[in-house]
């Protein structure tokens, strides 16, 4: 697939794909004219990269994780790092749920001033 097609199907910019290639996250073959060509799996890989970034993982960790996704194997040190990242994400989820609950309280009290709001913590 050409770069524009991958970008359209994955819902990202061409610039993002170039960045992923620069960070060694998304390999591309080059034609004799220098055009990038990606495998059919590139769209799924781009979506995974985006999810990992959205979870707060830095490029170097994403770079280490992607071969594990491909092979199904990981070095024990990487597993420890991934478990730490998972714990961080779990804490972030807990924090976001707390914020959502507080927003629910604000919405409820705004709609019905007689409703009780949970005390601020």
């Amino acid at each position: 697939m050409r770069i524009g097609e991958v970008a359209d199907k994955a819902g990202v910019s061409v610039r993002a794909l170039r960045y992923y290639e620069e960070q060694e996250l998304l390999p591309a073959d080059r034609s004799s004219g220098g055009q990038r060509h990606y495998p059919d799996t590139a769209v799924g890989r781009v979506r995974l990269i985006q999810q990992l970034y959205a979870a707060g993982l830095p490029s170097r960790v994403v770079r280490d994780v992607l071969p594990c996704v491909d092979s199904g194997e990981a070095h024990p040190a990487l597993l420890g790092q991934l478990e730490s990242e998972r714990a961080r994400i779990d804490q972030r989820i807990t924090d976001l749920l707390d914020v959502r609950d507080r927003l629910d309280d604000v919405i409820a009290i705004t709609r019905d001033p007689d409703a009780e709001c949970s005390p601020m913590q």
Side-chain angles (χ1 to χ4, degrees):
M1 272 189 274
R2 293 178 61 173
I3 194 167
E5 186 178 1
V6 174
D8 287 343
K9 287 184 177 184
V12 300
S13 68
V14 168
R15 183 177 172 183
L17 295 179
R18 289 184 185 127
Y19 175 77
Y20 296 160
E21 185 179 356
E22 179 183 299
Q23 294 298 309
E24 300 176 4
L25 304 175
L26 183 67
D29 293 326
R30 298 285 182 137
S31 70
S32 59
Q35 292 180 329
R36 290 172 176 87
H37 291 278
Y38 297 94
D40 292 339
T41 58
V43 173
R45 189 172 192 95
V46 168
R47 290 182 178 146
L48 174 60
I49 292 167
Q50 294 240 287
Q51 290 173 327
L52 295 171
Y53 275 149
L57 277 68
S59 293
R60 68 175 170 70
V61 174
V62 174
R63 189 178 313 111
D64 291 343
V65 168
L66 291 175
C68 301
V69 171
D70 296 337
S71 71
E73 298 176 4
H75 188 276
L78 179 60
L79 283 176
Q81 185 177 11
L82 294 177
E83 288 168 349
S84 294
E85 290 292 345
R86 187 180 191 291
R88 182 190 57 76
I89 291 168
D90 283 344
Q91 184 59 55
R92 182 73 177 132
I93 290 168
T94 299
D95 294 345
L96 288 170
L97 290 171
D98 289 344
V99 170
R100 184 193 63 189
D101 291 346
R102 294 300 300 147
L103 288 174
D104 285 346
D105 288 344
V106 170
I107 291 167
I109 199 76
T110 303
R111 288 190 175 149
D112 181 5
D114 295 328
E116 289 192 29
C117 189
S118 302
M120 296 277 261
Q121 296 178 354

